[in-house]
Every structure is written in structure tokens, then in C-alpha cells.
Amino acid sequence: MTDRVEIVEVGPRDGLQNETRLIPLAEKIALVDLLGTAGFRRIEVASFVSPRWVPQMADSAQVLAGIARAPGVSYMALVPNLRGLERALAAGAGEGAIFVSASEGFSRANLNCSIDESFDRLAPVAAEARAAGLPLRGYVSCVTDCPYDGPVAPAAVAAVVARLRALGVYEVSLGETTGRGLPERVGQMLAAVTSEVPAAALAGHFHDTSGRALENVAVALEQGLRVFDAAVGGLGGCPYAPGAKGNVATERLLGWLTGQGIETGLDADVVARAAAMAQSMRHAPA
Ligand code: HMG
Ligand code: MG
């Protein structure tokens, strides 16, 4: 077992994108600024997708303009296409995140195109990001189950991870989008993926719909993964994954890892305050 894990905070993006209340800009900035003092090395704060598709993220450039940039923290932004990349570069994102699906149904619902078409769209994005010196992370959605197509074959996930790596992403985050994936199936998927890609180039991204996210993290730790995405307050879900709940809560993951004797470099008090802030944002009146 390791004694060190990195938690990547995705609450301000994967969390807030799904909130029905339109969160005021100042609240988003306050959350990111508090998170910036917690010890995270990477915080996903923005999404340069179509504002027609995800209105909650329409003010992403203002978020990046308004936050205090903590030294040593990379502020990440989701990028779906060239237009998104241009917006992310103009806003000064520290890195971009491109995203694809291991299932055709979710690709259609989330990106309005097939898996092959999504890679055609992303090839020039990867080339331009490289030319601009912007590091790119990759996400694969639906690594065990798809809300539209049902169970997803581990080999299909491994194939998509390999294609993302060929685009030059430095890390692939494996999205258990529905949050219903059983640990046994997560283990089978990871065995297929790690037979082709080193575990050091992978991250686990577990939603917690069925309350199994921590068990899935444990399985991933056994398979050698050392980076996990989480959202303070357990915020989130995906607008195109009906019924899927939030990411594993950062404070729960942190508490569990600490209990296992695993270091994260995070300040638990700051994380707890950020979790309370995130929860109050969720419940504040519109
Ligand atoms: P489309 O409708 O097929 O394409 O959307 P389009 O090119 O016709 O664009 C539609 C409209 O959006 C047009 O505007 C474009 O100009 C505009 P209109 O003419 O209608 O006024 N547009 C943009 N505007 C601003 N920035 C852009 C941009 N691109 C187009 N970058 C598209 C295709 C990819 C844009 C759309 O499907 C989209 O935005 N999808 C993103 C959906 C999304 O954000 N989902 C949630 C994030 S993924 C996730 O949460 C999963 C993850 O957490 C991992 C996991 O848990 O699985 C990462
Ligand atoms: Mg997600």
C-alpha cells in the first residue's frame, strides 16, 4: 500500500455544473479561493462547453479572471472542441481537460457525436494545445456502465484510454459516471486498462450514487492508482447522466485515506470549511 495519494478537486466544475440554482459568480470565486488554500495541486474550476448545453458554466472565464491564483495550484478547465480551447487559453486556464465516452449512447447524449467523431474533433484540439504549451488531461466517461447502453466492456474502456493517450494527454481520469459501478466490475475494468497503460498515468473519478465510491477507490489503490478526483460536499452529477449523484465527497475521501495512513498533503480543516460552503451554495435560495 502507498503512503501518498493526490486528490484532484473537481467540485467547482463537475459539482457545480449540475446544480439547478444558477450560482452567483462571487460564490464560485469564494469557493475556489478557499480550496486554493487547502493544499490541492489541481482544482477544476471551469468548463468551456456550450453555454446552451450547460448554462451553469457560462461564466467560466469570469471565474478564472476573478480567483486569486494560489502558487503551485493548476486551475483546470474542461474543453470540448477548438472553440473551447481558444476560450480556455484566453481565460488563462492552467490546463485543459478533454473528454470522451467509452459508450456510444453517452457520447451522443453528452457530445452530440459518436466516439469516433469525438476523437476527430479532439485531434486538432490536442495539436493546438501542444503548440500553445497547455497541458491536457483526458477523461473517459462510463467506464463500467452507461445510462443509455448499460454495462460497458472493459476492452472498450482500454481502447478509448489508449486513443486518448495517443493524443498526448498526460493522464487519463476514468469516470464512473453513473456511480452505480460495483467494485468487482471496477476491478475488471482496471485490470484491462492497466494491462495497456501504466497505473501512474491514470486517475479514478468515482461518483457515489450507490455509496460504493470508497470501495471503488480501494480497488483502484490495489491496482496501483494514486490520483483520485473528488468534490467538496459531494457536489455534482452530470446533466447528461440522469440519476447520477455527486462525486465522492473530498472530505469523506480525505478522512478515509487518512484513516488508512495515507498522506494527501491536504488541510482537513480547510477542506471541511469548503465542504460546508459548497453545501450552503447548494441549498441557498435562488
Ligand atoms: P453541438 O450542438 O453538436 O455543436 O454541441 P454546435 O457546434 O452546433 O454548437 C452548438 C452551439 O454551441 C452553437 O451556438 C455553438 O456556437 C456553441 P448557437 O449557434 O446554437 O448559438 N458552441 C460553443 N459555445 C461556447 N463554447 C464552446 C462551444 N462549442 C459550441 N466551446 C458540444 C457540441 C460539444 C459543443 C456540446 O455537445 C457540449 O457543449 N457538450 C458538453 C456537455 C457537458 O459539458 N457535459 C458535462 C461535462 S462531461 C462530465 O461531466 C463527465 C466527467 O465528469 C467524467 C465523468 O464523470 O464521466 C468529465
Ligand atoms: Mg464526473
Side-chain angles (χ1 to χ4, degrees):
M1 228 344 140
T2 179
D3 57 1
R4 194 158 186 97
V5 152
E6 181 187 355
I7 299 181
V8 177
E9 175 58 46
V10 297
R13 193 283 302 174
D14 204 12
L16 296 185
Q17 74 177 6
N18 204 44
E19 290 301 315
T20 43
R21 167 184 176 251
L22 212 55
I23 314 260
L25 176 63
E27 290 185 29
K28 294 179 178 175
I29 291 172
L31 179 64
V32 174
D33 282 349
L34 182 54
L35 289 167
T37 66
F40 295 105
R41 286 171 43 211
R42 293 181 275 173
I43 308 176
E44 197 166 70
V45 300
S47 177
F48 293 103
V49 301
S50 166
R52 278 182 191 272
W53 283 62
V54 185
Q56 183 70 261
M57 293 283 109
D59 59 358
S60 283
Q62 289 105 298
V63 171
L64 276 161
I67 56 175
R69 310 240 178 168
V73 179
S74 178
Y75 293 92
M76 313 195 311
L78 218 56
V79 163
N81 53 19
L82 273 176
R83 172 115 177 258
L85 178 67
E86 279 153 23
R87 291 175 63 207
L89 287 170
E95 60 189 88
I98 55 177
F99 53 109
V100 296
S101 171
S103 71
E104 291 291 349
F106 188 76
S107 186
R108 291 247 164 243
N110 197 45
L111 291 167
N112 198 25
C113 65
S114 69
I115 296 171
D116 281 348
E117 285 163 346
S118 71
F119 277 99
D120 292 345
R121 192 186 276 170
L122 290 174
V125 173
E128 274 213 21
R130 196 175 311 116
L134 187 79
L136 274 191
R137 189 181 201 224
Y139 280 107
V140 177
S141 289
C142 300
V143 295
T144 60
D145 298 273
C146 170
Y148 308 97
D149 299 349
V152 175
V157 182
V160 166
V161 171
R163 290 175 81 178
L164 267 181
R165 292 264 294 164
L167 287 183
V169 301
Y170 74 85
E171 179 179 280
V172 177
S173 177
L174 300 165
E176 207 285 89
T177 314
T178 67
R180 297 182 198 283
L182 300 175
E184 193 188 357
R185 305 240 345 275
V186 169
Q188 289 160 358
M189 177 276 295
L190 287 172
V193 174
T194 54
S195 71
E196 294 195 24
V197 174
L202 300 169
H205 178 108
F206 296 109
H207 286 258
D208 208 12
T209 313
S210 304
R212 310 292 297 266
L214 289 179
E215 289 170 69
N216 288 334
V217 169
V219 167
L221 279 171
E222 274 167 29
Q223 302 250 10
L225 275 69
R226 296 292 178 263
V227 179
F228 295 95
D229 300 346
V232 275
L235 287 178
C238 173
Y240 298 98
K245 293 237 168 62
N247 298 80
V248 62
T250 309
E251 61 278 15
R252 262 184 82 216
L253 178 58
L254 174 58
W256 183 82
L257 289 169
T258 306
Q260 310 281 314
I262 298 172
E263 258 301 315
T264 59
L266 295 177
D267 182 328
D269 291 338
V270 179
V271 169
R273 277 196 282 138
M277 185 188 277
Q279 283 296 340
S280 70
M281 287 164 73
R282 166 175 270 179
H283 295 122

